[in-house]
Amino acid sequence: MENKEVARVLFETAQLLEIDGAMIGRYRSYEKVAELLGSLTERIEDLAKDEKKLKELPGVGDSMAEHIREILATGDYALRQKLLKKYPPTILELLHIQSLGPKRVALLWKMFEVATVDGLEKLAREGKLRDLPGFGEKSEQNILKGAEQFKNLSGSGRFRINTADEEAKQLAAYIQHAGEAVESVTAAGSLRRGKETIGDLDLLVTMRPGRDKQKDVDAVADYILKYPDVKRQLAHGENKVSLLLESGLQVDVRLLEKKCFGAALLYFTGSKSHNVALRGRANDVGWTLNEYALTTIKGGKTIASKTEEEIYSKLKLAYIEPELRESAGEIEAAERGTLPKLIELGDIRGDLHMHTTASDGHNSIEEMAEAAKQRGYPYIALTDHSKAVTVANGLDEKRTLEQIKKIRAAEQRVPGIRLLAGSEVDIRKDGTLDLDNEVLAQLDVVVASVHSHMNLEAKEMTDRILKAIENPYLQILAHPTGRLVLRREPFEYDIEKILDAAAKHGVAVECNSYPDRLDFKDVHLRMAKQRGVKIAISTDSHSTRNLDYIKYGVLTARRGWVEKKDVINTLPVDQFLAALRPKPQAQTAKAATRKSA
DNA sequence: GCCGTTTTCGGCCCGACTGTTTTCAGTCG
C-alpha cells in the first residue's frame, strides 16, 4: 500500500471523527499522522516492518502504530468502517463545500439526515436551512454557491504552477501601481514553495508608513478590487482582500506593515505543518509565533518579526529555504546545521531535452540553439522523438542520422554553443528502445521515455523499464513517472527497483521541468539522491519560449533537497559528457543490437 | 490518540473573517 492511500484512510477517519463530535485532539492525532505520511520519503509499509522505527515517527504511539498496521494489512480501518455505518460515505463530500465544516455538516445530518450535495442544494433552495441555529439566508446562498462550485470543479480546484506564477506576476505588477502607499508585493504560499500545483495565491503587500494607515489600506484594497480580471469578491476585511479571478484561481491579498513582514511571509509561505512545528518550537521556550511576530507568551514582548532569517535564528535554526518547508526533516536538519546547499537556477549549464520541427517542436535547430545561447547555456542536447511516437512525427533511423548531420552543420552556423545530437527514444511496450543500437551509438546523448501502454500492471511496467535501463545506450530516463499534472496519474511500478537499477548502470533520471509534467517529484528526487542516482534537469521544450520552464524544474529539484553536485547538467560540457553512462565501443554496437533484439 | 523542564492529566497552532449574533461559533488557511 502506498503512503498516500494509508494517509487517505487516516484522514477520512479524522474527518468522520470530527463530524461525530470527537474531542479535538483525537481527530487531530489522525490528521497529523496523515499529514506526516504525505511528506515521508520512506514507504510506510517498509517502516511498519520494524515496530521501533514505526513508533519513532512523531505522533505515532502504541495505538496509532497498531492502526497503521491494520490499514496496511486489510486496506481499511475498523473505526472508519464503523463511522461509515453511522454516516453515508458521501457526507465527506459536503466538507469540500466552502462555508461548510464538520460542525455544520454534523448539524445538517442530525436535523435532515442529508449527506449528499444534491440533497443539500434542495434544502437550501427550499429555504429550509435558514432557521437552523447559526444559519441564515446568507448561509443558504453561500451553500448554494459552494455546491455549484464543487460540482463545476469536479477536479481538484488546483492550478499548474506556471498558471499561478503568471497570474501572480500580473496581479503583483498591477498592485505595485496602486500608489505611494504600496512598498512591495510578494507571492507567498505554495507558489513560493515551488509546489507543482497551487490551490490559491497568497500575495503580501507591505505598506509605507503614512499619515492615515487605515485610509491607505482601504484605498489599496479598493484599487485591488478593481483589477480587471476579478470575477467575484470573496472577502474584504480590515487588512485582507480575497478575490476569485476569471480563471477560477482564488487570491488572498494581505496588506501589512513592514515591521511584521518576516513573520507574515513565514506564516503565509507555510507549509501548514512546517508552521505548526515552528510554533511548537516557540512554545517550548515560552514564546508564541503568529503572522505578526515571535513574542514571549508572558508579557507579549516581541522577539523577532522583520525578517524570516531573524525568526529562524531566534528559534536556533539555520535559515530554511521555502522549498524545504514541508515538515519532511528540514527542521531537524536546520537544528543540526546539515541542511543541503540547494541547487540554483544559475547552476544549470545546458538543457538536455528539447524538440525541433523535425518532430513535434515549433522551432528549428538553429532557433533553439540561438534561444539557448541567449539564456547563457554553453551547450544543449536536441532530442526529437523516435518513430514509434507517430503522432509527434517521430524520426526513424534514417531521419535520425540525417538529423545528426543537420545538428553538426547547425553548430557551425551558431557559434558559441555546443549542440549535442540526441534523441528522446521511445521505450516500447516490451522494453526495447525504438532505434537500432548502431544509430543510438552515433548520438551524443540518449534520452529515453515511455509514451504508450501506460496502464500496464505494476510488474509488467517495472520489467519494461528495467529492460530499457539494461540497454547500454540509454543514458537518461526522461519523465520517469509519466504523471501529467491534474490530468494523469503516474505509472504503477516499483520505483525503488527502477532507481536501484539506474544507480547500478549509471543511468541519470530526468527532473522534467515542463509544468504539465514535473512528474519526478520531491519525494522521488530524494529517493534518487539517497541512492546516488545522477539527476538531469531539462525542459522538454517544444518551442524556444519553453526553455524558460527550467525554473520550475530547478524549484522541484530544490524541493527534493537536490544540490548542484547531484545534477549532471551543471557540469561544463566535457565533464558532463564524461559523467554520462559510458557508451559501448562502436564495434560492439552491432552485437549489442543482436543481443537486445 | 499523543505527549511531557507546564510530565500521567489536560491540553492539543492561531488569528481573521463571516454571519450570525449583541458576544460568539464555525470556517478557513
Side-chain angles (χ1 to χ4, degrees), chain A residues 115-155:
Chain A
T116 63
V117 179
D118 288 339
L120 181 68
E121 271 189 299
K122 187 162 172 277
L123 288 169
R125 267 198 300 272
E126 289 167 354
K128 288 188 176 154
L129 303 182
R130 62 187 63 176
D131 296 328
L132 291 175
F135 285 65
E137 279 186 49
K138 197 77 190 257
S139 313
E140 268 177 0
Q141 286 161 24
N142 282 340
I143 286 171
L144 282 172
K145 235 188 267 174
E148 190 197 2
Q149 211 174 25
F150 172 81
K151 291 202 286 193
N152 286 342
L153 278 177
S154 66

Side-chain angles (χ1 to χ4, degrees), chain A residues 27 98 186 231 255 265 267 276 292-293 324 342 399-400 446 513 578:
Chain A
Y27 61 80
Q98 285 261 344
T186 312
K231 189 175 181 185
L255 303 153
L265 186 60
Y267 183 92
V276 169
Y292 300 108
L324 300 181
L342 298 180
R399 287 181 63 209
T400 302
V446 175
S513 312

Side-chain angles (χ1 to χ4, degrees), chain A residues 235-491:
Chain A
H236 184 179
E238 237 174 83
N239 49 25
K240 174 186 160 178
V241 188
S242 289
L243 324 158
L244 189 68
L245 299 181
E246 288 294 343
S247 61
L249 184 65
Q250 186 179 323
V251 189
D252 295 330
V253 187
R254 261 92 184 181
L255 303 153
L256 46 106
E257 291 177 70
K258 194 180 174 183
K259 69 175 184 204
C260 60
F261 179 67
L265 186 60
L266 188 63
Y267 183 92
F268 291 110
T269 296
S271 65
K272 194 176 161 176
S273 56
H274 180 84
N275 286 350
V276 169
L278 287 183
R279 284 189 216 123
R281 201 176 165 84
N283 288 161
D284 287 348
V285 291
W287 296 339
T288 177
L289 178 64
N290 61 22
E291 60 260 58
Y292 300 108
L294 179 65
T295 51
T296 57
I297 293 176
K298 283 183 193 162
K301 185 169 155 268
T302 299
I303 306 289
S305 66
K306 287 195 194 72
T307 67
E308 288 184 327
E309 285 83 352
E310 202 183 350
I311 295 169
Y312 280 115
S313 160
K314 292 289 182 192
L315 291 173
K316 294 204 162 46
L317 294 172
Y319 176 74
I320 301 175
E321 300 281 358
E323 296 90 337
L324 300 181
R325 301 180 194 169
E326 296 292 344
S327 209
E330 74 279 8
I331 292 180
E332 294 77 3
E335 194 172 42
R336 291 194 303 264
T338 56
L339 283 168
K341 184 177 181 330
L342 298 180
I343 183 167
E344 291 174 12
L345 188 56
D347 292 332
I348 301 290
R349 297 201 201 213
D351 195 330
L352 306 175
H353 185 168
M354 66 186 71
H355 300 269
T356 75
T357 46
S359 62
D360 61 348
H362 296 294
N363 294 97
S364 65
I365 299 169
E366 284 84 354
E367 285 164 344
M368 295 307 286
E370 276 294 348
K373 198 173 134 183
Q374 276 171 23
R375 285 164 177 77
Y377 291 143
Y379 61 97
I380 53 171
L382 297 130
T383 54
D384 275 299
H385 286 289
S386 66
K387 62 183 186 286
V389 191
T390 46
V391 287
N393 188 27
L395 282 59
D396 60 13
E397 281 77 2
K398 186 165 164 264
R399 287 181 63 209
T400 302
L401 293 173
E402 286 164 12
Q403 179 77 351
I404 296 173
K405 280 187 198 154
K406 284 181 193 163
I407 291 169
R408 305 279 182 244
E411 200 168 16
Q412 306 302 314
R413 286 195 291 276
V414 188
I417 182 164
R418 177 87 179 267
L419 303 183
L420 302 171
S423 167
E424 183 190 7
V425 58
D426 184 63
I427 297 173
R428 296 187 192 117
K429 190 185 177 196
D430 63 0
T432 57
L433 299 186
D434 189 35
L435 291 173
D436 289 343
N437 281 350
E438 289 95 326
V439 174
L440 294 177
Q442 297 188 46
L443 293 165
D444 302 316
V445 182
V446 175
V447 176
S449 54
V450 166
H451 298 94
S452 63
H453 304 286
M454 303 188 215
N455 293 321
L456 297 184
E457 297 282 321
K459 169 91 174 54
E460 206 180 340
M461 186 61 99
T462 308
D463 290 345
R464 172 191 191 178
I465 297 175
L466 287 177
K467 184 170 177 193
I469 287 175
E470 273 166 26
N471 182 309
Y473 291 97
L474 191 160
Q475 292 172 312
I476 301 173
L477 183 64
H479 42 82
T481 81
R483 186 277 299 261
L484 289 180
V485 175
L486 304 174
R487 277 194 291 151
R488 188 171 73 210
E489 291 294 311
F491 306 143

Side-chain angles (χ1 to χ4, degrees), chain A residues 82-183:
Chain A
K82 193 177 139 199
L83 288 164
L84 282 179
K85 289 218 176 76
K86 204 166 166 188
Y87 309 98
T90 52
I91 204 164
L92 296 171
E93 285 180 11
L94 297 188
L95 291 172
H96 293 296
I97 293 175
Q98 285 261 344
S99 81
L100 285 189
K103 298 288 188 298
R104 298 179 117 191
V105 167
L107 182 67
L108 288 165
W109 173 253
K110 192 175 155 214
M111 302 305 287
F112 300 107
E113 296 216 334
V114 63
T116 63
V117 179
D118 288 339
L120 181 68
E121 271 189 299
K122 187 162 172 277
L123 288 169
R125 267 198 300 272
E126 289 167 354
K128 288 188 176 154
L129 303 182
R130 62 187 63 176
D131 296 328
L132 291 175
F135 285 65
E137 279 186 49
K138 197 77 190 257
S139 313
E140 268 177 0
Q141 286 161 24
N142 282 340
I143 286 171
L144 282 172
K145 235 188 267 174
E148 190 197 2
Q149 211 174 25
F150 172 81
K151 291 202 286 193
N152 286 342
L153 278 177
S154 66
S156 58
R158 296 188 72 86
F159 291 79
R160 287 196 308 265
I161 187 171
N162 60 321
T163 311
D165 193 18
E166 283 150 24
E167 294 266 25
K169 284 208 173 77
Q170 282 175 27
L171 181 54
Y174 172 84
I175 296 173
Q176 281 286 3
H177 289 103
E180 286 280 295
V182 170
E183 185 177 75

